[in-house]
Amino acid sequence: MATPSATTTTLTKDLTFLIMQFLDEDKWKDTLHRLQQESGYFFDMKYFEELLLEGNWNEVEKYLSGFTKVDDNRYSMKIFFEIRKQKYLEALDRHDRAAAVDILVKDLKVFAGFNEDLYKEITQLLTLNNFRDNAQLSAYADIRTARAIMAQELKKLVEANPSFREKLQFPSIKSSRLRTLINQSLNWQHSLCPNPKQNPEIKTLFVDHTCRHSNDPFAHLAANGQAQQMGAVQRADGFIPIGVNGSFQPPIAPVPIPPPLSTWTSIPPSVNQLAASAGGIGFGSPANPASYLNSPANPEDLFRTRFPGVSDRVILPGVNPVHVPSPAFNAIDEFPKAVARILNQGSVPTSMDFHPLQQTILLVGTSMGDISVWEVSSREKLVSRSFQPWDMGASSMILKATLVKDPSVSVKRVLWSPDGSLFGVAYSKHMMQLYGYFGGDDVRQHLEIDAHVGSVNDLAFCNPTKQLCVITCGDDKAIKVWDAATGSKLYTFEGHEAPVHSVCPHSKEHVHFVFSTSVDGQIKAWLYEVVGSRVNYDAPSLSCTTMVYSADGKRLFSCGTSKDGESHVVEWNENEGTIKRNYQGFQKQSLGVVQFDTTRNKYLAVGDDYAIKVWDMDNINLLATIDAEGGLLATPRIRFNKEGSLLAVSANDNRIKVLATTDGLRLMRNYESLSLIASRNAPEKNGSTRSMEDNKKPKLTEELKPAKIWKPTEISETARLRSLRLSTTTVKTDKISRLVYTNSGNAILALSSNGTHLLWRWPQADRSTIGKATTSVTPKFVEQASGILMINDLTGAKPEDAIPCFALSKNDSYVMSASGGKISLFNLMTFKTMTTFMSPPPVVTCLAFHPEDNNIVAVGFDDSTIHIYNVRIDEVRIKLKGHSKRVTGLVFSQLLKTLVSSGADAQIVVWSSDKWERQKNSFLQVPAWTTPTALFGTHLQYQKDQNHFLVVHETQLAVYETLRLECQKKWVVGESSAPISYATFSCDSQLVYASFLDGTVCVFAASNLQMQCQINPYAYLPPNVSSATYPLVIAANPQEPNQFAVGLTDGAVVMFEPLESGDKWGVLPPADNGCFHASTSANGSSLELQS
């Protein structure tokens, strides 16, 4: 009977967590924390810190008592001592001696048995007028600072305390899970009713539901026997969870929603846990918890005298040293605020949208019915079209009559399709037009639809089935869904009582739905296959509202303005229909309906009061106001590009200002460079905005200027760069086969060909920082006192067939690795082998963690297959087959939900990472003179934008766009040149570092794969080194864009940095040099820009 008992206990614990989630979502905070304390299942560190900072000492100890007691262990003892000591010192600070004596006798006396001298010293503080006269307390600042420092110290102690093990992480549970389970239960009960009503009344959960009166009107079961979907526990103030409750088909039982997978490796506090120790209980605390590391663990040392709030640093009065400032404009540098371009549109912009892939292409619609496509980098208007029906004969009589009566038309909305191959235009009179976009100024008519009677107020692209669709809404109070390929109408949603202002399609868990808003402030939600709206709620102040999801699809926002000019920006709890946050900052009535946009899953921006107002999504208070150097409209239209590096905003005099971040400025410069190349190799196209004068009179200086020969910077001497050689004599190594920086940037991990892992870690600069990788400081080669090494399982491995590979977890705690044998999982802190799995054959050749679930690993094999493996349950979920030779590269895009694979067959395959279906494939164009080397394969790495990826082959570097799988630029090795051994992006994706088999290391500009620096082997290899020594792998620092390292065939690692801090690796050719298309390297390699 032990097993049922254990199961019951587990389910009881799960139910308790679900109740906690319910209490938290409904904001019953006091009850929530009481349940946490009484159950002892989850310790809310944030709540604990709040109590500490408030000085609510009784509640602090009461909450702690649910998890530990004073004498449980030395960590607990120190936690209670620090709390009571702070309580005592605060009483002394306010000169309340009676309270201080009471604390001394009742609270601190218990510790006297462990250190009598300490207790006497604490007692003597009563004799001082100011306890700061005690030398050890002289640096004690103020109460607020002392509490803050103590809170951080106690946090470390709690994390290290075994009593809190597995109680600090709340389980991963989908929102409103308890309501979901209740809904499923009620749906099942309803499906069992003999005569189920279409809209059953459910007034209680105390008894099972049944439709009692058979003579009441109801909707019979559908012809296929399925009961209609119902929202069983609809709340007056809540959205029904759309798509959560599946339809039931008696007598088949419902398919339960699987619980979230628990992580297969528990993530330890890692550095934090090491930094916490039950060191001495005393008056003071060190400035940094890391100082506990060296504290002896014996009981005698538990009571070394230390003081809370006393730091080795000088703390200014009133300053909280642990306060982390919110990302105001010292951290909002990632928000575009510098005016970089001004575009003269010609009429008032009413809607704008940046191309999703070519992020400097801006689509604009105006109040005069014009549409334009701009290249903002060059300020060139690529396309300009005025409104006119493409086929007036096919138009409705109502439209014809309307245009005769009033021919003026304005653009209500312009929008690119998700892949940028189409864009849609919604007009103020009946019409929606779709254009095909083929790059540059190539725009072609695709579809014209007489969509609504009156204005077409909004449009959006959606994909409720496998084909792309367009959804529109209009003054006729209807919402319609159209096939984007044929123009046929698929769905019509009706139910609004006023013109529909906007639509917001979305999908979750493969359930597609649409939010719509009308000008009377009503919000409705629709399922494509279900008649009638699923919800009906009021927007704040019944405002004319637009709804938008954040880029990651996890958060829902709305923004609008009421008839009285009252504007609101809010975040919704979409499952309940309640407002989660109401952002503050509208000081007066808005002069029009405000527009907004989101970016980076972090910022909200609204055009209001002749400026741009910015909020952090997690803070209701206004973060900043940007006036863009003045001249904005009262309620300007705004739009971010996909990266959030550019922001277009409408201004006075029919202008558009483009604001940019540093990355945005760099992005525009890169596109300008590419445009310069293209312009010098192509004739002027029709429709250019350049004047006739420019065409007739070429600049004389350009005609007569002789061609300049430009070469990349070449480094052949040690004195021209900074380098650092890392090696070890205590561990036997072979050539370095794989190399990576840790994600924190303070260590380098290498894998040698004999299966041994090598780890170098940089020391802390001071107690308040972590180490930083630099050539100026030699790192420590990490060795365990036990002598344990991280060596891959080589059972069954054949050295001649082995292709070493590894993958590092995001928190730097674990590494998964293979060297021709089993896959090994190592703890990077202890070097212990956690598990091994997947014995050969076939032989593992590459590894990649799923970006959203560390339980899922993509594993490439030498038999050309890819296994999607669940480590937690030791199960291969699916085998992907598409290559003809071994798989050599795997990389995920979390943004696009794709897996890209490469193989020794020179093939690249794109797979969906949700359904694991093959989407596209392409083959590299390998030069005919090439003889493939068995040692090297094709490697992959995604660019920072998660849309483009780098392909590394021994003959070439190439950058591909994922969705179309098109090569956008390529650099090919010369026929007589050494092959490429490895390459990688810099951390900012602005550079590509590549190593070659002749020892050369080259630096390329990622924007065009133009080489800008070449480092020859003499500059970094010792003079007596073997000629067979060269770099096999290369890795880029994740935080310093100009630092990288190479792994050599002699078992050493060499780091590189420019000679001076802040310098870069070479420079691009000058803008007036026309040699981009020419040979650019000493080895005869060439650059190809793909058209």
Side-chain angles (χ1 to χ4, degrees), residues 288-322:
N288 189 300
S291 62
Y292 285 132
L293 277 172
N294 299 321
S295 301
N298 57 70
E300 288 75 16
D301 189 60
L302 287 175
F303 299 97
R304 289 186 293 120
T305 304
R306 286 196 288 262
F307 293 84
V310 178
S311 172
D312 294 336
R313 302 168 287 152
V314 176
I315 302 175
L316 298 177
V319 178
N320 184 349
V322 300

Side-chain angles (χ1 to χ4, degrees), residues 976-1014:
S976 59
S977 305
I980 300 170
S981 60
Y982 214 89
T984 184
F985 279 120
S986 61
C987 63
D988 59 1
S989 295
Q990 299 302 310
L991 302 173
V992 174
Y993 299 115
S995 57
F996 296 79
L997 296 191
D998 62 357
T1000 303
V1001 179
C1002 296
V1003 183
F1004 299 81
S1007 60
N1008 52 22
L1009 291 184
Q1010 175 75 13
M1011 187 191 297
Q1012 59 188 52
C1013 183
Q1014 178 173 308

Side-chain angles (χ1 to χ4, degrees), residues 53-68:
L53 295 177
E54 293 169 1
N56 194 342
W57 307 120
N58 291 336
E59 285 299 318
V60 166
E61 293 211 16
K62 184 178 179 181
Y63 189 66
L64 272 175
S65 67
F67 302 89
T68 189

Side-chain angles (χ1 to χ4, degrees), residues 353-367:
D353 194 30
F354 278 98
H355 194 280
L357 302 179
Q358 303 175 48
Q359 297 191 49
T360 59
I361 299 292
L362 179 64
L363 175 64
V364 181
T366 75
S367 60

Side-chain angles (χ1 to χ4, degrees), residues 341 357-361 375 377-378 380 382 440 665-682 685 690 943 945 948 959 967-971 989-990 1005-1011 1068-1077 1087-1091:
R341 299 288 189 275
L357 302 179
Q358 303 175 48
Q359 297 191 49
T360 59
I361 299 292
E375 170 50 73
S377 301
S378 60
E380 183 178 7
L382 303 173
L665 294 172
R666 188 182 296 114
L667 177 69
M668 289 191 287
R669 285 197 297 268
N670 291 342
Y671 274 95
E672 283 182 315
S673 299
L674 291 174
S675 300
L676 177 64
I677 300 166
S679 66
R680 289 176 173 167
N681 288 280
K685 294 185 177 181
R690 296 180 183 175
Q943 201 169 11
D945 66 1
H948 300 81
V959 175
C967 178
Q968 297 192 334
K969 44 206 167 233
K970 182 168 63 175
W971 185 90
S989 295
Q990 299 302 310
S1007 60
N1008 52 22
L1009 291 184
Q1010 175 75 13
M1011 187 191 297
L1068 282 170
D1072 61 351
N1073 190 307
C1075 66
F1076 273 68
H1077 60 281
L1087 171 72
E1088 299 176 20
L1089 292 171
Q1090 308 299 311
S1091 59

Side-chain angles (χ1 to χ4, degrees), residues 625-852:
T625 300
I626 302 171
D627 65 1
E629 299 177 1
L632 298 186
L633 299 174
T635 54
R637 276 37 181 164
I638 64 173
R639 191 68 169 175
F640 291 100
N641 69 346
K642 193 166 187 176
E643 283 184 351
S645 58
L646 300 177
L647 173 61
V649 54
S650 58
N652 292 332
D653 302 321
N654 304 328
R655 297 176 302 159
I656 299 170
K657 292 188 176 184
V658 180
L659 313 185
T661 64
T662 302
D663 287 341
L665 294 172
R666 188 182 296 114
L667 177 69
M668 289 191 287
R669 285 197 297 268
N670 291 342
Y671 274 95
E672 283 182 315
S673 299
L674 291 174
S675 300
L676 177 64
I677 300 166
S679 66
R680 289 176 173 167
N681 288 280
E684 191 78 5
K685 294 185 177 181
N686 294 332
S688 169
T689 56
R690 296 180 183 175
S691 67
M692 292 299 292
E693 190 72 13
D694 289 338
N695 290 335
K696 291 178 180 178
K697 297 181 179 180
K699 293 182 180 178
L700 183 63
T701 54
E702 289 189 359
E703 291 178 345
L704 301 179
K705 188 183 298 181
K708 295 181 180 180
I709 299 175
W710 180 89
K711 292 184 178 180
T713 302
E714 190 168 352
I715 298 176
S716 300
E717 300 173 358
T718 306
R720 295 187 60 191
L721 53 70
R722 289 182 292 165
S723 64
L724 177 64
R725 183 179 174 90
L726 310 179
S727 59
T728 176
T729 58
T730 58
V731 177
K732 182 180 179 181
T733 63
D734 203 339
K735 56 189 178 185
I736 302 299
S737 299
R738 289 292 178 265
L739 188 70
V740 69
Y741 281 82
T742 57
N743 296 297
S744 60
N746 70 338
I748 286 180
L749 177 66
L751 173 60
S752 69
S753 59
N754 64 0
T756 303
H757 297 77
L758 311 172
L759 181 65
W760 290 271
R761 193 183 302 278
W762 272 261
Q764 295 175 321
D766 55 60
R767 291 182 173 181
S768 63
T769 64
I770 62 171
K772 179 181 178 182
T774 173
T775 57
S776 304
V777 177
T778 301
K780 177 184 177 183
F781 179 68
V782 181
E783 296 179 280
Q784 299 296 327
S786 62
I788 187 175
L789 298 175
M790 291 187 290
I791 303 178
N792 281 333
D793 188 325
L794 302 179
T795 305
K798 298 179 180 178
E800 66 276 10
D801 296 332
I803 300 179
C805 55
F806 64 20
L808 185 66
S809 65
K810 291 181 180 179
N811 64 350
D812 294 337
S813 294
Y814 300 92
V815 62
M816 185 176 289
S817 182
S819 297
K822 291 183 178 181
I823 299 176
S824 300
L825 178 66
F826 297 100
N827 184 313
L828 209 54
M829 298 300 168
T830 64
F831 288 12
K832 290 182 179 179
T833 303
M834 309 301 292
T835 185
T836 60
F837 52 96
M838 285 195 169
S839 301
V843 176
V844 177
T845 53
C846 52
L847 295 161
F849 282 116
H850 193 289
E852 297 178 354

